[in-house]
Amino acid sequence: MKKRIMSVVLAILFMFPLYRIQAAEANADLAQEKLTAFGVLTSDDAVKGDLNRGQLAMFAVRMLGIDASQINGATPFTDTPAGDKRTPSITAAYHAGLLKGTGAGIFEPDGTVTVAQAVKVMVNLLGYSRFAEEKGGYPGGYMITADRLKLLKGIKADGSRSLSMQEAMILFLNTLETDIMEYDAVGTDYSVFQSEKNRTLLSEKLKIKSAQGILEADEYTSIYGTGGCARGNIQTDGIAYLGNSDLLGMHVECYYTEDGDQRKALYVGETKKNVTFCVDAEDINADGVTKDRFSYFENNDLKEEKIPRSATLILNGKQAAISKENLTPAIGNVTFTDHNNDGTVDVISVTSYETLVVNGYSKESGLLAVKYGKESEDIGPDSDFDVFIFKNGKKAEADSLKEW
């Protein structure tokens, strides 16, 4: 049996003003989110301050898909103790020729890393070291190579300054998604270079692939029909992935791994093709709303949005008919999405809330007791709902449901 969605919000409901936006360029937060999904960044990693040498070794090894915990042998450095989580990665990076010590058996794991130093490691990871050496070697040749590869996109290209952890996240993501290099040798001459299209560290070392398309279905519904896909799945352009996303109807990029015929989504995010337009419920001019047009106020000016017949309406996560009733929630908002930036609305997402005052929740019965004559709601594990509870913007347990 297909379940419905119930979201319970235990916080002040903040109403956002009307806005029209296009997806932003990649930034440090987005890079951090992706790297976490890829397993390059973990919850134990502090993303603050400047990048140090031990951290650079740790991230470089992870980007190669090496499990540093399986590295055998003693560390070659006297200042990298066994209790330091960076030590196995430092040992692996040293033996892989990615990083050297600073002399006399010292590595200086806490030493800060300059932009040029980090760039050299990333260029080497991608296989462009010979190209960089031909361009003048370290540091200039590596900075030139990094610029050509767009590794420095989003980063101030000053090789002599320290690299912040925030910028390091961007550099690492840029590196993972850059085509790797192979050499076409003629005798002993390695001056002929050829990058491998669509072969990246992400695909070759981490075995993570990516695809783009319209997120057309989840387990609850589809933008093309009332039925969703299999439970626990999403679908883009006819291809199913194990995973979930709240970007139904948007143009997305999906990073995934394969296990036989099954694809597992690691990260799903919107692309720059999407243009969204959101109106809060209190700004809707209900008298001017029909199935063909949507009327609203913007800065006290009355405006109108045409609704094309081809548009799909999603009401609280389920496909529904385009009607005045469904387009005018008492509390909530209405979001219009143009998922290919052609100027035509493709999907209308309506979020409609109801405010209830509760006495409490019974774990035994699964019932949510509601005050003021409202019937109790069954939100237990055997109910018709998949229940998501949020308190102050974070997920919470059912026992948080109690009278304020």
Side-chain angles (χ1 to χ4, degrees):
M1 178 179 67
K2 289 281 185 181
K3 287 199 172 188
R4 294 176 289 166
I5 306 171
M6 176 183 283
S7 293
V8 182
V9 182
L10 301 179
I12 297 173
L13 183 62
F14 292 99
M15 296 304 181
F16 296 95
L18 175 147
Y19 57 90
R20 188 185 295 266
I21 60 172
Q22 188 164 357
E25 295 284 347
N27 54 35
D29 290 338
L30 178 59
Q32 184 175 337
E33 186 178 355
K34 286 186 175 182
L35 292 174
T36 301
F38 302 157
V40 173
L41 183 66
T42 73
S43 59
D44 295 330
D45 299 323
V47 187
K48 59 183 179 180
D50 291 332
L51 180 72
N52 63 47
R53 286 170 52 81
Q55 292 168 326
L56 177 59
M58 187 172 62
F59 288 120
V61 167
R62 289 177 188 169
M63 291 167 69
L64 289 176
I66 298 173
D67 184 355
S69 66
Q70 301 302 312
I71 299 298
N72 296 318
T75 173
F77 305 108
T78 59
D79 60 344
T80 54
D84 190 324
K85 72 173 185 177
R86 301 168 298 178
T87 295
S89 296
I90 292 171
T91 303
Y94 171 76
H95 288 299
L98 296 174
L99 287 165
K100 299 178 181 179
T102 58
I106 301 297
F107 185 80
E108 293 186 16
D110 296 322
T112 56
V113 177
T114 67
V115 173
Q117 289 169 343
V119 159
K120 182 178 180 181
V121 173
M122 296 299 108
V123 168
N124 287 339
L125 285 180
L126 291 168
Y128 289 85
S129 57
R130 289 183 181 270
F131 183 87
E133 290 296 327
E134 287 195 359
K135 292 296 181 181
Y138 181 81
Y142 284 87
M143 293 294 290
I144 291 171
T145 303
D147 183 63
R148 178 169 175 175
L149 296 173
K150 298 183 179 180
L151 300 186
L152 298 172
K153 184 177 180 180
I155 302 170
K156 184 180 178 181
D158 177 359
S160 62
R161 66 180 181 85
S162 297
L163 182 67
S164 71
M165 282 292 288
Q166 291 289 307
E167 290 178 311
M169 298 298 103
I170 299 174
L171 176 63
F172 297 157
L173 180 61
N174 290 344
T175 301
L176 284 172
E177 296 186 316
T178 297
D179 292 339
I180 60 176
M181 171 68 75
E182 287 196 356
Y183 302 101
D184 290 336
V186 180
T188 58
D189 181 8
Y190 284 84
S191 61
V192 181
F193 304 93
Q194 180 179 339
S195 62
E196 290 291 307
K197 192 69 175 175
N198 297 323
R199 291 188 61 203
T200 65
L201 291 177
L202 201 60
S203 65
E204 302 306 304
K205 299 299 183 181
L206 301 185
K207 306 303 179 184
I208 297 173
K209 298 182 178 181
S210 65
Q212 292 191 2
I214 307 302
L215 183 57
E216 58 197 16
D218 57 21
E219 63 181 280
Y220 302 104
T221 195
S222 165
I223 64 173
Y224 301 128
T226 55
C229 51
R231 187 161 178 79
N233 280 249
I234 56 175
Q235 182 173 301
T236 65
D237 291 353
I239 300 176
Y241 301 88
L242 183 63
N244 57 74
S245 174
D246 59 359
L247 299 176
L248 187 65
M250 288 192 171
H251 190 272
V252 300
E253 56 179 353
C254 178
Y255 292 84
Y256 64 95
T257 56
E258 290 181 322
D259 183 6
D261 294 333
Q262 186 179 73
R263 296 178 175 87
K264 180 181 179 181
L266 304 177
Y267 171 87
V268 181
E270 61 177 292
T271 70
K272 292 187 290 184
K273 286 189 175 182
N274 299 297
V275 178
T276 60
F277 165 56
C278 183
V279 182
D280 179 73
E282 63 187 15
D283 294 319
I284 298 172
N285 175 36
D287 292 337
V289 174
T290 69
K291 66 177 183 179
D292 301 312
R293 59 191 176 94
F294 184 82
S295 181
Y296 62 94
F297 291 96
E298 180 181 7
N299 298 325
N300 295 321
D301 294 330
L302 187 61
K303 297 194 174 184
E304 187 174 285
E305 185 80 14
K306 182 180 179 182
I307 301 176
R309 292 185 178 182
S310 58
T312 298
L313 186 138
I314 305 296
L315 174 60
N316 288 343
K318 293 281 287 186
Q319 190 186 57
I322 297 178
S323 66
K324 178 176 180 177
E325 179 182 5
N326 289 338
L327 286 167
T328 54
I331 305 173
N333 55 61
V334 179
T335 301
F336 296 82
T337 298
D338 171 5
H339 55 216
N340 53 13
N341 199 11
D342 65 355
T344 301
V345 172
D346 300 296
V347 177
I348 306 169
S349 301
V350 180
T351 301
S352 180
Y353 298 99
E354 181 181 2
T355 301
L356 302 175
V357 180
V358 303
N359 279 322
Y361 170 73
S362 170
K363 188 174 182 180
E364 290 73 22
S365 67
L367 291 178
L368 180 67
V370 184
K371 298 185 71 172
Y372 305 125
K374 297 280 188 178
E375 293 184 2
S376 296
E377 294 280 0
D378 184 358
I379 61 171
D382 297 325
S383 73
D384 292 337
F385 297 101
D386 280 336
V387 180
F388 302 91
I389 301 172
F390 298 90
K391 183 175 182 178
N392 296 329
K394 297 181 179 180
K395 285 190 175 181
E397 300 299 322
D399 57 12
S400 297
L401 297 169
K402 58 187 68 176
E403 186 175 2
W404 52 41

